[in-house]
Amino acid sequence: MSNVRVRFAPSPTGYLHVGGLRTALYNYLFAKKNNGTFILRIEDTDQKRFVAGAAENLIKTLSAMGIQHDEGIFLSGDTLISKGECGPYAQSERLEIYKTHIKKLIDSHKAYYCFCSVGRLAALREEQIQNKLSAKYDKFCLSLSPEAIEESLAANEPYVVRLNVDENRGDIVFEDTVRGKVTIHAKDVDDQVLIKSDGFPTYHLAVVIDDHLMGITHVIRGDEWISSTPKHVLLYEAFGWEAPVFAHLPLLLNPDKSKLSKRQGDVAAEDYLEKGYLKETLINFVALLGWNPGQGNTQEIFSLDELVERFDLAQVHKAGAVFDLKKLDWMNTEYVKRLTPEELYERGMPFLEVKEFYKAWNSQQSTINEEEKIEFVKRVLTIERERLTKLSDIGDNNPFFFVSELSYDAALLHWKQNAKEMTKEALEKAHKILSGLNDTDWVKKETIEKVLMEAAGEQRGDFLWPLRVALTGAQRSPSPFEVAWVLGKDASLKRLEKAIKLVS
Ligand code: GLU
């Protein structure tokens, strides 16, 4: 193991945001690439935002995606447990640690108690608005005497603890791996609250203490946190600690370049899994939101192992990354095509077996056994695989596979303006040819294709159209060879007989 240590530190708000998935993935890739350690920490100090079961859900979703952490919070059955030397890994269990550390800052005058009432703060803000000044605490409580502080504490007066920002310290400068050099004037930074009136630490305090104590070497997180980083830099200085390397990942955007929001589609990673996008697709897609393998390289399909090999934090883009659903669909089709019929069956069946048309079909299959049913579904999937966008679409485009009796308008059987007799002749010819095939011929769809194509000769439409409609009852469908192959000899002949009757 190298000394690279990174972390994904979500606040458990109920689901894994796709932006969070990308943050987790980039941290994972960076750790794997550098033989480092990837830590999962839960930032649950905001009591107002607590959602029961959210941490469990996050862990389940990450592991469903194949992003496995090495250290931090894990699920053992239904229980959350900490694994590693730097635990506990849930901030709500680290309150004593924050207390000890804030005390050190107060003792060294780097932080101070503030007893200002909500009313005073509101009046101060009002005055700043009037004078067109930015929101900033006026350090009123910094000058309280030790006795006054003791008195207020003894009287249980509500208080917060603030960082004492030295306005004269000069610019705050840090190097961001993605953004480059970032400079902020110290006078623009507020004396931020470190301990809230409920006694809980703020995000800023907890994140700095935890990152330091957990030995985090690289902080890789979303761009929305970059404005907090100067505050963190000041805190590292106040504690006398070395700051980690920072890398802020570009914003995720809707196609209209607005910030990715719930309003324009799903933002929960688990919703995409539920819709039948493959985890391989989601990982690949999300990896490309802000990174690509470099100039001139147009490769778009990457396995997780390939990503580990190729990923480079230095190649992450600054510009916002568009979350393009069309591209996601395209990529999923590519991944579905790569599944074997067995894999597609295993992964697709949970989506198919809940569909009403499948349930109805399944309950009507008294003449075939379980194995034959599985074989049938595998054949359907073999045909659908090339054109399937999501696993949840299975069967939707070809409902004729899962009905015992087709119903369609007889007029559809005629190719162009062909007369009834011609259609009938074609159907009878097809019936004769298919009757002549034995079970071995039916094993391969190519065999069926060969005999039917030979029979069609030059008159493809005249012959193949009525056959295809007889088998599917549909205007559009896969080829009649493929459909016949899936249906099997008996069902194909039965459908042809019905069509012959319709045109007789
Ligand atoms: N708890 C923050 C979040 O919910 C983590 C920010 C950070 O990585 O520092 O995203």
Side-chain angles (χ1 to χ4, degrees):
M1 284 267 164
S2 72
N3 61 355
V4 164
R5 289 174 62 83
V6 292
R7 80 323 188 255
F8 176 48
S11 299
T13 50
Y15 61 90
L16 177 61
H17 191 284
V18 287
L21 174 62
R22 186 200 45 187
T23 302
L25 176 64
Y26 282 17
N27 274 286
Y28 170 87
L29 296 175
F30 185 72
K32 288 284 158 275
K33 171 129 197 182
N34 292 290
N35 272 320
T37 306
F38 174 41
I39 297 159
L40 178 68
R41 181 172 75 222
I42 299 292
E43 305 212 325
D44 55 351
T45 54
D46 191 344
Q47 296 295 292
K48 290 195 284 294
R49 287 169 74 198
F50 178 78
V51 179
E56 289 83 345
N57 184 43
L58 262 165
I59 295 172
K60 282 187 195 150
T61 309
L62 284 174
S63 82
M65 295 286 180
I67 306 181
Q68 194 51 62
H69 52 290
D70 310 299
E71 189 179 315
I73 301 253
F74 291 81
L75 256 185
S76 164
D78 287 337
T79 321
L80 292 172
I81 54 161
S82 278
K83 274 195 218 163
E85 303 288 300
C86 305
Y89 294 90
Q91 289 188 329
S92 57
E93 292 171 32
R94 299 174 62 81
L95 300 179
E96 281 309 313
I97 301 177
Y98 307 129
K99 266 193 201 147
T100 325
H101 281 83
I102 198 67
K103 187 156 185 319
K104 283 186 199 160
L105 288 191
I106 295 173
D107 290 349
S108 60
H109 304 290
K110 303 268 172 48
Y112 60 96
Y113 291 101
C114 169
F115 299 93
C116 285
S117 65
V118 176
R120 176 170 191 279
L121 294 174
L124 175 66
R125 182 71 201 111
E126 195 47 48
E127 197 185 311
Q128 287 165 340
I129 292 173
Q130 301 274 318
N131 297 321
K132 297 198 169 42
L133 296 169
S134 50
K136 233 181 130 189
Y137 181 63
D138 62 356
K139 289 185 182 282
F140 178 79
C141 287
L142 184 61
S143 50
L144 292 180
S145 67
E147 296 72 33
I149 294 171
E150 276 315 313
E151 216 170 280
S152 297
L153 289 177
N156 276 333
E157 268 183 46
Y159 68 85
V160 298
V161 177
R162 293 179 181 274
L163 183 72
N164 182 13
V165 179
D166 176 5
E167 287 181 337
N168 305 317
R169 76 175 285 292
D171 290 343
I172 304 162
V173 183
F174 65 92
E175 194 65 40
D176 187 275
T177 309
V178 177
R179 294 289 207 94
K181 190 171 165 181
V182 181
T183 306
I184 286 103
H185 305 304
K187 63 172 177 31
D188 294 336
V189 181
D190 193 16
D191 278 4
Q192 65 203 273
V193 173
L194 301 176
I195 297 284
K196 295 177 281 186
S197 54
D198 61 6
F200 278 79
T202 54
Y203 156 68
H204 306 299
L205 179 71
V207 82
V208 166
I209 293 177
D210 290 350
D211 284 344
H212 175 74
L213 296 182
M214 293 180 186
I216 301 303
T217 54
H218 297 73
V219 167
I220 305 168
R221 62 184 167 205
D223 204 54
E224 63 273 29
W225 302 103
I226 199 162
S227 57
S228 299
T229 308
K231 302 178 185 176
H232 301 175
V233 170
L234 289 178
L235 268 166
Y236 280 103
E237 274 179 19
F239 280 116
W241 295 335
E242 192 188 331
V245 173
F246 294 104
H248 289 91
L249 310 175
L251 280 179
L252 297 187
L253 307 173
N254 293 307
D256 67 3
K257 301 285 160 77
S258 58
K259 194 175 163 210
L260 185 68
S261 64
K262 260 194 198 168
R263 241 173 307 129
Q264 294 204 20
D266 284 319
V267 288
E270 47 267 52
D271 287 353
Y272 288 94
L273 285 175
E274 265 161 41
K275 278 191 188 160
Y277 290 95
L278 302 179
K279 64 172 192 217
E280 297 89 329
T281 310
L282 291 167
I283 291 295
N284 191 155
F285 177 75
V286 158
L288 296 180
L289 293 174
W291 170 85
N292 65 38
Q295 276 156 5
N297 193 329
T298 50
Q299 182 179 343
E300 300 239 58
I301 302 292
F302 296 92
S303 67
L304 190 54
D305 286 344
E306 257 178 300
L307 288 171
V308 168
E309 198 181 302
R310 308 286 285 278
F311 182 75
D312 184 356
L313 208 46
Q315 271 170 348
V316 172
H317 315 153
K318 269 189 244 187
V322 174
F323 192 93
D324 179 359
L325 272 178
K326 284 203 195 91
K327 181 165 176 182
L328 179 66
D329 283 348
W330 165 80
M331 200 176 266
N332 208 48
T333 312
E334 289 302 308
Y335 272 98
V336 168
K337 275 189 213 163
R338 287 165 164 79
L339 297 177
T340 64
E342 280 67 35
E343 285 169 334
L344 185 53
Y345 177 78
E346 290 301 326
R347 298 173 71 166
M349 206 49 201
F351 291 88
L352 182 59
E353 66 193 1
V354 293
K355 298 203 174 191
E356 289 309 321
F357 68 76
Y358 177 80
K359 287 195 231 167
W361 173 85
N362 193 26
S363 65
Q364 289 157 7
Q365 301 309 303
S366 49
T367 55
I368 60 171
N369 61 31
E370 273 313 301
E371 241 168 76
E372 287 167 324
K373 273 189 209 167
I374 294 176
E375 184 53 33
F376 177 82
V377 173
K378 279 189 186 166
R379 287 189 173 207
V380 172
L381 294 175
T382 306
I383 301 306
E384 292 204 331
R385 187 173 54 175
E386 295 299 308
R387 305 174 196 86
L388 205 59
T389 305
K390 311 188 282 303
L391 295 182
S392 56
D393 298 336
I394 289 174
D396 288 357
N397 292 329
N398 303 309
F400 46 82
F401 283 136
F402 296 101
V403 287
S404 343
E405 204 47 56
L406 288 183
S407 81
Y408 57 92
D409 183 353
L412 192 61
L413 285 162
H414 308 302
W415 171 247
K416 295 190 173 162
Q417 311 304 324
N418 279 358
K420 247 181 171 192
E421 292 69 30
M422 253 186 109
T423 303
K424 191 175 173 214
E425 210 177 288
L427 291 168
E428 284 172 344
K429 186 170 159 186
H431 189 277
K432 193 158 169 247
I433 293 167
L434 293 181
S435 306
L437 295 181
N438 58 33
D439 286 350
T440 335
D441 295 328
W442 223 275
V443 173
K444 280 184 151 185
K445 55 181 185 306
E446 290 74 18
T447 315
I448 304 171
E449 176 167 7
K450 191 164 164 268
V451 289
L452 290 173
M453 283 304 275
E454 270 167 22
E458 300 291 298
Q459 270 74 50
R460 288 205 182 172
D462 295 329
F463 179 63
L464 296 177
W465 175 272
L467 167 60
R468 200 189 53 70
V469 174
L471 296 177
T472 65
Q475 188 104 28
R476 265 172 238 274
S477 75
S479 76
F481 330 116
E482 292 174 306
V483 179
W485 175 71
V486 173
L487 292 175
K489 187 170 171 178
D490 289 352
S492 298
L493 292 179
K494 243 177 84 196
R495 289 187 182 191
L496 273 167
E497 284 150 24
K498 176 184 165 159
I500 294 169
K501 247 189 230 152
L502 282 173
V503 289
S504 297

